[in-house]
Each structure stands twice: as structure tokens, then as C-alpha cells.
Amino acid sequence: MKVSVLVPIYGVEKYIKQCAQTLFAQTYFDIEYVFVDDCTPDCSVEVLQQVLAEYPQRKNQVRIIRHKHNRGLGAARKTAFEAATGDFVMNVDSDDYLALDAVEKMVENQQQTGADIVSGAYCSHYENEQIVRRSEPDLSRETSLKLMLIQNTLLPHIWARLIRRSLYLDHEITSLEGINMAEDMALTPRLIHAARSISYIDDITYYYRDDSSASTFANHLSAKHVESYLKANQVLWLYFRKNDESNEFLTAFQIGMLNAYYHALAGDFSLPQIKALLSYQPQSFVFRCLHGLLARKQTLSLLRFAYLTVKWCYKTLIASFG
């Protein structure tokens, strides 16, 4: 089974050596590596090529694609995927790194279970060398998706997952240019919804640099980041309105929208600005009331309280009934 490892490159000169070493030293051999140079201003690509020279057995498995101009993370992920030819894909951020047997362990699980998506345990790696192990809970596809949609509960990270490539192709799911903050949130829930089955392994597969300078979430949320975050929510809204015909995930999505409005208002976006980017309209009486009463700058703290309260009630309900 061929696995495509997809890696965007931008401003990671400090980190890419370790990343590339762990990619090329994988115990699983049938891998193609697709790197996308998004016009990085530093020597990241040169460092990558130096590391590749140390692994001549991998040379013919590597492609480095360069954008003509900087287009952002969403576009880089899209370019990498379009060049992929593997049965499954893995996304790796170039400031992170893999366990050396990560691909092998995930492929083994996929072959045992037949799952469309296999998720592994991961570690948060901090600049002070502190490493904290984090496991994703072994939940059903439906429960996992609901917990992602309510936001700030189950991370929708695209990395540390082995994903069947045909899920993207058959359901027209792709990364989108211009969505660079929260691009995972726009992508992963759609893939999980499209999947027939998902699986988990408790083995550590991925090391995520939680506070590197290259990590978007390590930086203050700018207006540009909030705009991208709202666009990601818009992608999800359009997808689930079209594909969730039974409204199984509507309540979870509406809870998440309370959080989206909170962050946008806290980021000094006005209601007209939010509505220009997000066409979402509450579909049930409770959420219409919450948005009508709370989605205002003047009641921001109340909106936050409403989100946390409704989310807690919903999580409790999920835990009780599955």
C-alpha cells in the first residue's frame, strides 16, 4: 500500500532538518514524499535537500514543487494533494516530526481494520523540550464528528492521521486557497463525515511543536486569522447543509457557531462583516434566540457563557446516550 506524505514548506529553516530526517528514516518503505515550497524566504529547501542526500534510497520517492508566489498554507496543502498518487495520504507540517515507525504502525492498523481514516496518538513538543503525550479517544465516527463541530473539544487536526485518498476525490473535498488559519477545521470534519469507518491507535505517531514560531496557533489572532477562521466555518456550513440530510450533526454545528461568533466579535468584527463571510443562519428556536439576544459586541461575555453552558450540556448528553 502506497502512502503519500504531504509537506508544505514555509519559514521552517530551524525545524525542517529534524522533520525530514524522521520522514526519510521511516521503517515503512512504500512512501512518496511531496513537498511544496510556498516561496519560503529562508533556506528551508536547501536544508531539506542536504538531508535527502543522506538518504539516497529515498531520492526517487521525493518531489519538491515550488509555487510561483506565496499562496498560503491552504493552497500548499491543495497543491501537495493534487500531486499525490498514493492509496492513502498523511499530512505533516514541516516544523513537526514523526515517530520513526509512524507510517508502519498506521498502515498495519488500516490493513487490520479496513478503516478510511486511522488516527494516532501524538505529543505536544514545546520549545523548552517538554514533551506531553496526548491520545485521541477511541470514539465512534458520529461522536468524534459531533465533538469536533462543537469546537474546542476534540481537535480537528489533519496531521497524525492516515486518510484514504479516494475520500477527497469521491466527495470533492479539498483544502482551499485563502484558508490558512483553521484550515484543519474546514477539512477534517468533512473527511470524517465522508468516511465509512475510522480507527485509532494508542502508539505515538506525531510530534507537534506547540509553540514554535511557525505554528499559527502560537501567534495572536489577527483580523486576517479571524477572517480565515470564519471562511473555514462557512465551508463546513455549506457542506453539512448539503450532505447532512437528516440533520444529525446540526445541533453540534450550531453550538460551534456560538464560538465562531464569539471569536469574531472579540476580534472586533461587526455583525455585517461576519455575515459577509458566513452565511450561517440558526435553524432551531433555541439557537435563533441565542443569536438574536447574544450575538452582539455589548453582550460578548454573555455569549461566551452561553456557548460554554450549551456545550457542556451537549457533551453530557453525548456521554449519557452515546
Side-chain angles (χ1 to χ4, degrees):
M1 187 175 85
K2 185 177 181 181
V3 176
S4 299
V5 175
L6 314 180
V7 190
I9 299 175
Y10 187 84
V12 288
E13 181 180 353
K14 180 179 177 181
Y15 306 106
I16 195 168
K17 179 178 181 179
Q18 184 177 24
C19 176
Q21 287 173 334
T22 65
L23 295 182
F24 299 145
Q26 284 296 304
T27 56
Y28 190 77
F29 186 75
D30 194 5
I31 302 176
E32 70 170 357
Y33 302 90
V34 182
F35 296 89
V36 176
D37 173 11
D38 195 31
C39 295
T40 184
D42 60 10
C43 295
S44 296
V45 175
E46 288 83 349
V47 174
L48 170 62
Q49 291 171 332
Q50 291 169 7
V51 175
L52 179 57
E54 302 172 6
Y55 297 86
Q57 74 278 16
R58 295 292 193 184
K59 183 176 180 180
N60 293 332
Q61 297 172 294
V62 175
R63 294 182 63 188
I64 302 175
I65 302 170
R66 179 176 172 81
H67 281 167
K68 292 182 180 179
H69 60 274
N70 176 254
R71 294 167 54 191
L73 180 58
R77 288 208 198 280
K78 188 174 189 291
T79 296
F81 178 80
E82 289 174 345
T85 62
D87 304 292
F88 282 75
V89 299
M90 287 183 64
N91 287 273
V92 178
D93 289 345
S94 46
D95 54 326
D96 301 334
Y97 58 101
L98 295 183
L100 297 185
D101 59 355
V103 179
E104 180 181 3
K105 290 287 183 65
M106 298 180 90
V107 167
E108 285 178 354
N109 180 273
Q110 194 286 321
Q111 292 178 332
Q112 291 168 2
T113 64
D116 290 328
I117 300 175
V118 178
S119 300
Y122 66 96
C123 290
S124 294
H125 184 162
Y126 296 91
E127 291 291 336
N128 62 6
E129 298 304 316
Q130 178 188 12
I131 296 178
V132 180
R133 189 184 195 282
R134 306 186 190 280
S135 296
E136 191 160 318
D138 188 355
L139 302 170
S140 69
R141 182 186 70 89
E142 293 78 10
T143 299
S144 294
L145 184 50
K146 289 174 181 176
L147 292 178
M148 284 185 187
L149 291 176
I150 64 176
Q151 302 192 20
N152 299 329
T153 301
L154 186 63
L155 289 179
H157 55 80
I158 197 66
W159 40 261
R161 303 188 197 275
L162 181 73
I163 303 171
R164 193 183 299 274
R165 187 165 69 97
S166 61
L167 280 185
Y168 291 82
L169 300 173
D170 294 347
H171 300 275
E172 299 181 341
I173 297 171
T174 184
S175 296
L176 296 175
E177 188 162 355
I179 299 182
N180 303 313
M181 168 71 176
E183 87 290 346
D184 297 38
M185 190 179 74
L187 191 59
T188 306
R190 290 186 290 159
L191 290 166
I192 290 178
H193 182 266
R196 292 168 299 177
S197 62
I198 62 178
S199 182
Y200 300 88
I201 61 174
D202 199 42
D203 299 282
I204 294 172
T205 59
Y206 198 94
Y207 291 83
Y208 171 71
R209 293 191 189 275
D210 220 358
D211 58 356
S212 76
S213 59
S215 173
T216 301
F217 290 98
N219 301 319
H220 176 70
L221 289 182
S222 65
K224 187 175 181 180
H225 288 149
V226 174
E227 180 178 338
S228 180
Y229 168 64
L230 290 174
K231 288 180 179 179
N233 280 284
Q234 172 71 357
V235 169
L236 289 182
W237 171 241
L238 295 177
Y239 175 88
F240 281 96
R241 291 304 292 160
K242 178 181 178 181
N243 296 286
D244 183 24
E245 295 180 358
S246 64
N247 288 333
E248 179 181 3
F249 303 101
L250 179 60
T251 297
F253 186 84
Q254 291 182 115
I255 293 171
M257 286 302 94
L258 293 175
N259 187 57
Y261 267 71
Y262 168 78
H263 281 295
L265 291 165
D268 291 325
F269 275 59
S270 66
L271 282 175
Q273 286 176 308
I274 297 171
K275 291 177 180 178
L277 295 166
L278 184 57
S279 65
Y280 162 76
Q281 293 292 330
Q283 299 297 297
S284 62
F285 176 76
V286 170
F287 289 97
R288 284 197 296 270
C289 290
L290 287 173
H291 274 266
L293 294 173
L294 305 178
R296 298 290 187 275
K297 184 74 173 181
Q298 296 84 348
T299 55
L300 196 56
S301 59
L302 192 56
L303 176 58
R304 183 65 173 170
F305 176 77
Y307 164 65
L308 294 174
T309 301
V310 175
K311 184 176 75 167
W312 179 85
C313 293
Y314 188 73
K315 287 171 62 179
T316 303
L317 190 65
I318 290 177
S320 299
F321 297 100

